[in-house]
Amino acid sequence: MHCIFDQCKAMVTQLTGHIKDVTDFDFSSNNQYIASASVDKTVRVWDISKGICMRVIYGVSPQLCIRFHPVNNNFLSVGNSKREIVSNFDNEVTALDHDHIGQLIFCGDSQGCVYTVNMNSHTGAVARAHRHRSGTKSPVTTVQFRTPSLLAHGPVLLTFCRDGSLSFFSASLEVQGYLTLRCSLKLAPRLHSIHASFCPLLSLEKGEFIVAGSEDANVYFYDLTRPKHTCVNKLQGHSYPVIGVAWNHGENMLASSDFGGTVIVWKREDNKSRPNPPSLGTKSDAARTANTIA
């Protein structure tokens, strides 16, 4: 993988409106809109092409995480510091994701618990179905759902906590998203709310790969199919703790952001361009330059 951010000399657009930290955002399924959540207690929906705010939803507490419904863009799921999405939870809702058809919401809270919530895609009504208590009481920073899996051979859920606990669950959609822990990984504790993500589907034939940011300014790749030496790759280029990681929909580019405001976009190497290309299981060269977004 290599850095391509230096090829971009300017921002496409800047969305201005929030007056405090933006905690999360999500693209609609048609890529026309962005929904953002903020500590300023508001949720905003933006038209990307026009660069304008279409709607502001005012809350009574900091909004911490947000997702568009995967099928109906008229629905937004938002978790806040008052321990609620729509129904009440025991602690602050800090991360969430939908299943692939939008009938379930998986969310994590500030005490390390993971919940499964049923959602009516027609009315938007939600009802809590299951709760999984982990051995940690650290805030959940990542909740991510995916259908195929090399380890589970079915739907899976990835969670990551600030204390470095990474968990990999089987998700039984027939039993309202009941979670069964398949494996876990203990990484170094984080001071910041650092995120993790599944790696592209194409990598499944080689392993069950996870990518995560780190306090040491690197991006790390882990293979959960390995009982030992799970770290298989490292990307260097940041100068501050790496907070966020996310793949594009084509899964050929990875974006990473750090505490200093820098975003680097890494492009997967084309295996056809080299006779012996490096895979995710080996270290690949990465450019050390990046632009900073002020």
PDB file of all heavy atoms in Angstrom, residues 207-238:
ATOM      1  N   GLY A 207      -6.947 -14.877   5.146  1.00  0.00           N
ATOM      2  CA  GLY A 207      -7.031 -14.770   6.594  1.00  0.00           C
ATOM      3  C   GLY A 207      -8.197 -13.887   6.999  1.00  0.00           C
ATOM      4  O   GLY A 207      -8.943 -13.393   6.165  1.00  0.00           O
ATOM      5  N   GLU A 208      -8.369 -13.685   8.307  1.00  0.00           N
ATOM      6  CA  GLU A 208      -9.413 -12.813   8.854  1.00  0.00           C
ATOM      7  C   GLU A 208      -8.711 -11.561   9.355  1.00  0.00           C
ATOM      8  O   GLU A 208      -8.259 -11.485  10.499  1.00  0.00           O
ATOM      9  CB  GLU A 208     -10.153 -13.509   9.986  1.00  0.00           C
ATOM     10  CG  GLU A 208     -11.435 -12.834  10.391  1.00  0.00           C
ATOM     11  CD  GLU A 208     -12.589 -13.113   9.448  1.00  0.00           C
ATOM     12  OE1 GLU A 208     -12.992 -14.275   9.298  1.00  0.00           O
ATOM     13  OE2 GLU A 208     -13.094 -12.132   8.853  1.00  0.00           O
ATOM     14  N   PHE A 209      -8.582 -10.550   8.478  1.00  0.00           N
ATOM     15  CA  PHE A 209      -7.743  -9.405   8.769  1.00  0.00           C
ATOM     16  C   PHE A 209      -8.533  -8.251   9.373  1.00  0.00           C
ATOM     17  O   PHE A 209      -9.654  -7.955   8.968  1.00  0.00           O
ATOM     18  CB  PHE A 209      -7.037  -8.921   7.493  1.00  0.00           C
ATOM     19  CG  PHE A 209      -6.043  -9.904   6.946  1.00  0.00           C
ATOM     20  CD1 PHE A 209      -6.351 -10.708   5.858  1.00  0.00           C
ATOM     21  CD2 PHE A 209      -4.787 -10.029   7.527  1.00  0.00           C
ATOM     22  CE1 PHE A 209      -5.442 -11.622   5.360  1.00  0.00           C
ATOM     23  CE2 PHE A 209      -3.871 -10.941   7.036  1.00  0.00           C
ATOM     24  CZ  PHE A 209      -4.191 -11.739   5.951  1.00  0.00           C
ATOM     25  N   ILE A 210      -7.895  -7.602  10.343  1.00  0.00           N
ATOM     26  CA  ILE A 210      -8.422  -6.421  11.013  1.00  0.00           C
ATOM     27  C   ILE A 210      -7.362  -5.328  10.916  1.00  0.00           C
ATOM     28  O   ILE A 210      -6.161  -5.603  11.037  1.00  0.00           O
ATOM     29  CB  ILE A 210      -8.727  -6.705  12.497  1.00  0.00           C
ATOM     30  CG1 ILE A 210      -9.653  -7.909  12.647  1.00  0.00           C
ATOM     31  CG2 ILE A 210      -9.320  -5.468  13.167  1.00  0.00           C
ATOM     32  CD1 ILE A 210     -11.023  -7.737  12.053  1.00  0.00           C
ATOM     33  N   VAL A 211      -7.791  -4.079  10.703  1.00  0.00           N
ATOM     34  CA  VAL A 211      -6.872  -2.956  10.701  1.00  0.00           C
ATOM     35  C   VAL A 211      -7.270  -2.017  11.845  1.00  0.00           C
ATOM     36  O   VAL A 211      -8.459  -1.830  12.118  1.00  0.00           O
ATOM     37  CB  VAL A 211      -6.881  -2.208   9.342  1.00  0.00           C
ATOM     38  CG1 VAL A 211      -8.267  -1.675   9.016  1.00  0.00           C
ATOM     39  CG2 VAL A 211      -5.856  -1.084   9.331  1.00  0.00           C
ATOM     40  N   ALA A 212      -6.274  -1.443  12.532  1.00  0.00           N
ATOM     41  CA  ALA A 212      -6.552  -0.576  13.678  1.00  0.00           C
ATOM     42  C   ALA A 212      -5.512   0.523  13.774  1.00  0.00           C
ATOM     43  O   ALA A 212      -4.351   0.343  13.389  1.00  0.00           O
ATOM     44  CB  ALA A 212      -6.575  -1.384  14.973  1.00  0.00           C
ATOM     45  N   GLY A 213      -5.934   1.657  14.301  1.00  0.00           N
ATOM     46  CA  GLY A 213      -5.001   2.734  14.591  1.00  0.00           C
ATOM     47  C   GLY A 213      -4.248   2.442  15.881  1.00  0.00           C
ATOM     48  O   GLY A 213      -4.502   1.444  16.565  1.00  0.00           O
ATOM     49  N   SER A 214      -3.330   3.340  16.223  1.00  0.00           N
ATOM     50  CA  SER A 214      -2.512   3.101  17.412  1.00  0.00           C
ATOM     51  C   SER A 214      -1.971   4.409  17.960  1.00  0.00           C
ATOM     52  O   SER A 214      -1.847   5.400  17.235  1.00  0.00           O
ATOM     53  CB  SER A 214      -1.351   2.158  17.063  1.00  0.00           C
ATOM     54  OG  SER A 214      -0.527   1.943  18.186  1.00  0.00           O
ATOM     55  N   GLU A 215      -1.637   4.381  19.251  1.00  0.00           N
ATOM     56  CA  GLU A 215      -1.061   5.553  19.903  1.00  0.00           C
ATOM     57  C   GLU A 215       0.338   5.877  19.376  1.00  0.00           C
ATOM     58  O   GLU A 215       0.793   7.012  19.479  1.00  0.00           O
ATOM     59  CB  GLU A 215      -0.980   5.320  21.422  1.00  0.00           C
ATOM     60  CG  GLU A 215      -2.312   5.080  22.098  1.00  0.00           C
ATOM     61  CD  GLU A 215      -3.111   6.356  22.312  1.00  0.00           C
ATOM     62  OE1 GLU A 215      -2.565   7.439  22.059  1.00  0.00           O
ATOM     63  OE2 GLU A 215      -4.269   6.250  22.737  1.00  0.00           O
ATOM     64  N   ASP A 216       1.044   4.893  18.821  1.00  0.00           N
ATOM     65  CA  ASP A 216       2.422   5.116  18.369  1.00  0.00           C
ATOM     66  C   ASP A 216       2.505   5.668  16.946  1.00  0.00           C
ATOM     67  O   ASP A 216       3.558   5.622  16.320  1.00  0.00           O
ATOM     68  CB  ASP A 216       3.243   3.832  18.493  1.00  0.00           C
ATOM     69  CG  ASP A 216       2.758   2.718  17.572  1.00  0.00           C
ATOM     70  OD1 ASP A 216       1.836   2.962  16.766  1.00  0.00           O
ATOM     71  OD2 ASP A 216       3.300   1.604  17.665  1.00  0.00           O
ATOM     72  N   ALA A 217       1.369   6.173  16.407  1.00  0.00           N
ATOM     73  CA  ALA A 217       1.304   6.833  15.099  1.00  0.00           C
ATOM     74  C   ALA A 217       1.406   5.866  13.919  1.00  0.00           C
ATOM     75  O   ALA A 217       1.631   6.293  12.790  1.00  0.00           O
ATOM     76  CB  ALA A 217       2.377   7.922  14.969  1.00  0.00           C
ATOM     77  N   ASN A 218       1.205   4.576  14.159  1.00  0.00           N
ATOM     78  CA  ASN A 218       1.219   3.593  13.079  1.00  0.00           C
ATOM     79  C   ASN A 218      -0.165   3.003  12.859  1.00  0.00           C
ATOM     80  O   ASN A 218      -1.044   3.080  13.729  1.00  0.00           O
ATOM     81  CB  ASN A 218       2.199   2.464  13.398  1.00  0.00           C
ATOM     82  CG  ASN A 218       3.638   2.944  13.438  1.00  0.00           C
ATOM     83  OD1 ASN A 218       4.057   3.763  12.626  1.00  0.00           O
ATOM     84  ND2 ASN A 218       4.397   2.434  14.404  1.00  0.00           N
ATOM     85  N   VAL A 219      -0.355   2.403  11.680  1.00  0.00           N
ATOM     86  CA  VAL A 219      -1.565   1.649  11.360  1.00  0.00           C
ATOM     87  C   VAL A 219      -1.176   0.172  11.313  1.00  0.00           C
ATOM     88  O   VAL A 219      -0.235  -0.190  10.595  1.00  0.00           O
ATOM     89  CB  VAL A 219      -2.155   2.084  10.012  1.00  0.00           C
ATOM     90  CG1 VAL A 219      -3.404   1.261   9.683  1.00  0.00           C
ATOM     91  CG2 VAL A 219      -2.492   3.575  10.029  1.00  0.00           C
ATOM     92  N   TYR A 220      -1.873  -0.669  12.067  1.00  0.00           N
ATOM     93  CA  TYR A 220      -1.497  -2.073  12.166  1.00  0.00           C
ATOM     94  C   TYR A 220      -2.570  -2.981  11.566  1.00  0.00           C
ATOM     95  O   TYR A 220      -3.771  -2.696  11.662  1.00  0.00           O
ATOM     96  CB  TYR A 220      -1.291  -2.462  13.631  1.00  0.00           C
ATOM     97  CG  TYR A 220      -0.046  -1.873  14.244  1.00  0.00           C
ATOM     98  CD1 TYR A 220      -0.099  -0.672  14.956  1.00  0.00           C
ATOM     99  CD2 TYR A 220       1.189  -2.504  14.115  1.00  0.00           C
ATOM    100  CE1 TYR A 220       1.042  -0.127  15.522  1.00  0.00           C
ATOM    101  CE2 TYR A 220       2.334  -1.967  14.692  1.00  0.00           C
ATOM    102  CZ  TYR A 220       2.253  -0.775  15.383  1.00  0.00           C
ATOM    103  OH  TYR A 220       3.387  -0.226  15.944  1.00  0.00           O
ATOM    104  N   PHE A 221      -2.104  -4.083  10.957  1.00  0.00           N
ATOM    105  CA  PHE A 221      -2.983  -5.128  10.443  1.00  0.00           C
ATOM    106  C   PHE A 221      -2.796  -6.394  11.279  1.00  0.00           C
ATOM    107  O   PHE A 221      -1.661  -6.778  11.590  1.00  0.00           O
ATOM    108  CB  PHE A 221      -2.663  -5.440   8.978  1.00  0.00           C
ATOM    109  CG  PHE A 221      -2.997  -4.321   8.029  1.00  0.00           C
ATOM    110  CD1 PHE A 221      -2.111  -3.269   7.841  1.00  0.00           C
ATOM    111  CD2 PHE A 221      -4.197  -4.318   7.339  1.00  0.00           C
ATOM    112  CE1 PHE A 221      -2.407  -2.240   6.975  1.00  0.00           C
ATOM    113  CE2 PHE A 221      -4.507  -3.288   6.467  1.00  0.00           C
ATOM    114  CZ  PHE A 221      -3.614  -2.251   6.287  1.00  0.00           C
ATOM    115  N   TYR A 222      -3.910  -7.043  11.622  1.00  0.00           N
ATOM    116  CA  TYR A 222      -3.882  -8.264  12.427  1.00  0.00           C
ATOM    117  C   TYR A 222      -4.654  -9.366  11.706  1.00  0.00           C
ATOM    118  O   TYR A 222      -5.671  -9.099  11.058  1.00  0.00           O
ATOM    119  CB  TYR A 222      -4.504  -8.015  13.805  1.00  0.00           C
ATOM    120  CG  TYR A 222      -3.841  -6.907  14.585  1.00  0.00           C
ATOM    121  CD1 TYR A 222      -4.319  -5.598  14.517  1.00  0.00           C
ATOM    122  CD2 TYR A 222      -2.734  -7.160  15.398  1.00  0.00           C
ATOM    123  CE1 TYR A 222      -3.708  -4.574  15.218  1.00  0.00           C
ATOM    124  CE2 TYR A 222      -2.128  -6.136  16.110  1.00  0.00           C
ATOM    125  CZ  TYR A 222      -2.616  -4.840  16.012  1.00  0.00           C
ATOM    126  OH  TYR A 222      -2.008  -3.824  16.711  1.00  0.00           O
ATOM    127  N   ASP A 223      -4.170 -10.595  11.825  1.00  0.00           N
ATOM    128  CA  ASP A 223      -4.844 -11.761  11.269  1.00  0.00           C
ATOM    129  C   ASP A 223      -5.353 -12.620  12.422  1.00  0.00           C
ATOM    130  O   ASP A 223      -4.564 -13.221  13.162  1.00  0.00           O
ATOM    131  CB  ASP A 223      -3.880 -12.562  10.386  1.00  0.00           C
ATOM    132  CG  ASP A 223      -4.554 -13.760   9.719  1.00  0.00           C
ATOM    133  OD1 ASP A 223      -5.764 -13.955   9.935  1.00  0.00           O
ATOM    134  OD2 ASP A 223      -3.859 -14.482   8.985  1.00  0.00           O
ATOM    135  N   LEU A 224      -6.669 -12.672  12.586  1.00  0.00           N
ATOM    136  CA  LEU A 224      -7.259 -13.384  13.710  1.00  0.00           C
ATOM    137  C   LEU A 224      -7.178 -14.897  13.562  1.00  0.00           C
ATOM    138  O   LEU A 224      -7.465 -15.626  14.517  1.00  0.00           O
ATOM    139  CB  LEU A 224      -8.724 -12.964  13.883  1.00  0.00           C
ATOM    140  CG  LEU A 224      -8.959 -11.485  14.200  1.00  0.00           C
ATOM    141  CD1 LEU A 224     -10.441 -11.211  14.392  1.00  0.00           C
ATOM    142  CD2 LEU A 224      -8.175 -11.046  15.430  1.00  0.00           C
ATOM    143  N   THR A 225      -6.794 -15.384  12.386  1.00  0.00           N
ATOM    144  CA  THR A 225      -6.649 -16.833  12.215  1.00  0.00           C
ATOM    145  C   THR A 225      -5.318 -17.336  12.760  1.00  0.00           C
ATOM    146  O   THR A 225      -5.106 -18.547  12.852  1.00  0.00           O
ATOM    147  CB  THR A 225      -6.757 -17.231  10.732  1.00  0.00           C
ATOM    148  OG1 THR A 225      -5.662 -16.651  10.004  1.00  0.00           O
ATOM    149  CG2 THR A 225      -8.073 -16.759  10.137  1.00  0.00           C
ATOM    150  N   ARG A 226      -4.426 -16.430  13.130  1.00  0.00           N
ATOM    151  CA  ARG A 226      -3.117 -16.839  13.659  1.00  0.00           C
ATOM    152  C   ARG A 226      -3.163 -16.890  15.181  1.00  0.00           C
ATOM    153  O   ARG A 226      -3.481 -15.883  15.827  1.00  0.00           O
ATOM    154  CB  ARG A 226      -2.031 -15.852  13.231  1.00  0.00           C
ATOM    155  CG  ARG A 226      -1.826 -15.774  11.733  1.00  0.00           C
ATOM    156  CD  ARG A 226      -0.591 -14.948  11.426  1.00  0.00           C
ATOM    157  NE  ARG A 226      -0.305 -14.894  10.003  1.00  0.00           N
ATOM    158  CZ  ARG A 226       0.878 -14.544   9.494  1.00  0.00           C
ATOM    159  NH1 ARG A 226       1.873 -14.227  10.308  1.00  0.00           N
ATOM    160  NH2 ARG A 226       1.054 -14.513   8.189  1.00  0.00           N
ATOM    161  N   PRO A 227      -2.840 -18.019  15.790  1.00  0.00           N
ATOM    162  CA  PRO A 227      -2.834 -18.090  17.256  1.00  0.00           C
ATOM    163  C   PRO A 227      -1.715 -17.262  17.875  1.00  0.00           C
ATOM    164  O   PRO A 227      -1.826 -16.806  19.009  1.00  0.00           O
ATOM    165  CB  PRO A 227      -2.632 -19.585  17.533  1.00  0.00           C
ATOM    166  CG  PRO A 227      -1.966 -20.112  16.306  1.00  0.00           C
ATOM    167  CD  PRO A 227      -2.508 -19.309  15.165  1.00  0.00           C
ATOM    168  N   LYS A 228      -0.598 -17.077  17.127  1.00  0.00           N
ATOM    169  CA  LYS A 228       0.510 -16.263  17.596  1.00  0.00           C
ATOM    170  C   LYS A 228       0.948 -15.309  16.480  1.00  0.00           C
ATOM    171  O   LYS A 228       0.664 -15.544  15.309  1.00  0.00           O
ATOM    172  CB  LYS A 228       1.694 -17.143  18.016  1.00  0.00           C
ATOM    173  CG  LYS A 228       1.410 -18.067  19.193  1.00  0.00           C
ATOM    174  CD  LYS A 228       2.648 -18.879  19.548  1.00  0.00           C
ATOM    175  CE  LYS A 228       2.385 -19.790  20.739  1.00  0.00           C
ATOM    176  NZ  LYS A 228       3.587 -20.586  21.100  1.00  0.00           N
ATOM    177  N   HIS A 229       1.637 -14.246  16.880  1.00  0.00           N
ATOM    178  CA  HIS A 229       2.157 -13.268  15.917  1.00  0.00           C
ATOM    179  C   HIS A 229       1.046 -12.777  14.995  1.00  0.00           C
ATOM    180  O   HIS A 229       1.146 -12.841  13.766  1.00  0.00           O
ATOM    181  CB  HIS A 229       3.307 -13.871  15.105  1.00  0.00           C
ATOM    182  CG  HIS A 229       4.392 -14.498  15.932  1.00  0.00           C
ATOM    183  ND1 HIS A 229       5.190 -13.755  16.787  1.00  0.00           N
ATOM    184  CD2 HIS A 229       4.790 -15.791  16.051  1.00  0.00           C
ATOM    185  CE1 HIS A 229       6.047 -14.566  17.391  1.00  0.00           C
ATOM    186  NE2 HIS A 229       5.823 -15.798  16.974  1.00  0.00           N
ATOM    187  N   THR A 230      -0.017 -12.294  15.617  1.00  0.00           N
ATOM    188  CA  THR A 230      -1.183 -11.869  14.846  1.00  0.00           C
ATOM    189  C   THR A 230      -0.934 -10.599  14.034  1.00  0.00           C
ATOM    190  O   THR A 230      -1.623 -10.356  13.048  1.00  0.00           O
ATOM    191  CB  THR A 230      -2.383 -11.624  15.780  1.00  0.00           C
ATOM    192  OG1 THR A 230      -1.994 -10.704  16.815  1.00  0.00           O
ATOM    193  CG2 THR A 230      -2.848 -12.925  16.412  1.00  0.00           C
ATOM    194  N   CYS A 231       0.022  -9.761  14.433  1.00  0.00           N
ATOM    195  CA  CYS A 231       0.329  -8.544  13.673  1.00  0.00           C
ATOM    196  C   CYS A 231       1.107  -8.931  12.418  1.00  0.00           C
ATOM    197  O   CYS A 231       2.193  -9.512  12.495  1.00  0.00           O
ATOM    198  CB  CYS A 231       1.139  -7.570  14.528  1.00  0.00           C
ATOM    199  SG  CYS A 231       1.488  -6.005  13.689  1.00  0.00           S
ATOM    200  N   VAL A 232       0.548  -8.594  11.239  1.00  0.00           N
ATOM    201  CA  VAL A 232       1.152  -9.028   9.980  1.00  0.00           C
ATOM    202  C   VAL A 232       1.617  -7.867   9.106  1.00  0.00           C
ATOM    203  O   VAL A 232       2.269  -8.091   8.090  1.00  0.00           O
ATOM    204  CB  VAL A 232       0.164  -9.906   9.183  1.00  0.00           C
ATOM    205  CG1 VAL A 232      -0.123 -11.193   9.921  1.00  0.00           C
ATOM    206  CG2 VAL A 232      -1.131  -9.145   8.905  1.00  0.00           C
ATOM    207  N   ASN A 233       1.286  -6.641   9.459  1.00  0.00           N
ATOM    208  CA  ASN A 233       1.686  -5.512   8.623  1.00  0.00           C
ATOM    209  C   ASN A 233       1.605  -4.219   9.429  1.00  0.00           C
ATOM    210  O   ASN A 233       0.864  -4.128  10.410  1.00  0.00           O
ATOM    211  CB  ASN A 233       0.797  -5.413   7.378  1.00  0.00           C
ATOM    212  CG  ASN A 233       1.439  -4.601   6.259  1.00  0.00           C
ATOM    213  OD1 ASN A 233       2.534  -4.059   6.414  1.00  0.00           O
ATOM    214  ND2 ASN A 233       0.765  -4.517   5.132  1.00  0.00           N
ATOM    215  N   LYS A 234       2.375  -3.225   9.002  1.00  0.00           N
ATOM    216  CA  LYS A 234       2.383  -1.922   9.668  1.00  0.00           C
ATOM    217  C   LYS A 234       2.581  -0.837   8.616  1.00  0.00           C
ATOM    218  O   LYS A 234       3.461  -0.948   7.760  1.00  0.00           O
ATOM    219  CB  LYS A 234       3.495  -1.863  10.715  1.00  0.00           C
ATOM    220  CG  LYS A 234       3.604  -0.510  11.418  1.00  0.00           C
ATOM    221  CD  LYS A 234       4.617  -0.556  12.551  1.00  0.00           C
ATOM    222  CE  LYS A 234       6.033  -0.677  12.049  1.00  0.00           C
ATOM    223  NZ  LYS A 234       7.015  -0.573  13.164  1.00  0.00           N
ATOM    224  N   LEU A 235       1.750   0.201   8.669  1.00  0.00           N
ATOM    225  CA  LEU A 235       1.884   1.345   7.776  1.00  0.00           C
ATOM    226  C   LEU A 235       2.375   2.544   8.584  1.00  0.00           C
ATOM    227  O   LEU A 235       1.808   2.868   9.624  1.00  0.00           O
ATOM    228  CB  LEU A 235       0.545   1.682   7.116  1.00  0.00           C
ATOM    229  CG  LEU A 235      -0.089   0.577   6.266  1.00  0.00           C
ATOM    230  CD1 LEU A 235      -1.417   1.057   5.701  1.00  0.00           C
ATOM    231  CD2 LEU A 235       0.851   0.136   5.155  1.00  0.00           C
ATOM    232  N   GLN A 236       3.402   3.205   8.087  1.00  0.00           N
ATOM    233  CA  GLN A 236       4.004   4.356   8.766  1.00  0.00           C
ATOM    234  C   GLN A 236       3.847   5.601   7.914  1.00  0.00           C
ATOM    235  O   GLN A 236       3.972   5.540   6.694  1.00  0.00           O
ATOM    236  CB  GLN A 236       5.484   4.082   9.047  1.00  0.00           C
ATOM    237  CG  GLN A 236       5.734   2.913   9.988  1.00  0.00           C
ATOM    238  CD  GLN A 236       7.200   2.587  10.121  1.00  0.00           C
ATOM    239  OE1 GLN A 236       7.882   2.306   9.145  1.00  0.00           O
ATOM    240  NE2 GLN A 236       7.702   2.614  11.353  1.00  0.00           N
ATOM    241  N   GLY A 237       3.596   6.724   8.542  1.00  0.00           N
ATOM    242  CA  GLY A 237       3.423   7.965   7.821  1.00  0.00           C
ATOM    243  C   GLY A 237       2.866   9.077   8.690  1.00  0.00           C
ATOM    244  O   GLY A 237       3.058  10.257   8.416  1.00  0.00           O
ATOM    245  N   HIS A 238       2.175   8.705   9.764  1.00  0.00           N
ATOM    246  CA  HIS A 238       1.605   9.696  10.673  1.00  0.00           C
ATOM    247  C   HIS A 238       2.627  10.145  11.719  1.00  0.00           C
ATOM    248  O   HIS A 238       3.608   9.443  11.988  1.00  0.00           O
ATOM    249  CB  HIS A 238       0.386   9.110  11.386  1.00  0.00           C
ATOM    250  CG  HIS A 238      -0.817   8.948  10.500  1.00  0.00           C
ATOM    251  ND1 HIS A 238      -1.671   9.976  10.213  1.00  0.00           N
ATOM    252  CD2 HIS A 238      -1.291   7.858   9.834  1.00  0.00           C
ATOM    253  CE1 HIS A 238      -2.640   9.537   9.425  1.00  0.00           C
ATOM    254  NE2 HIS A 238      -2.421   8.255   9.176  1.00  0.00           N
TER     255      HIS A 238
END
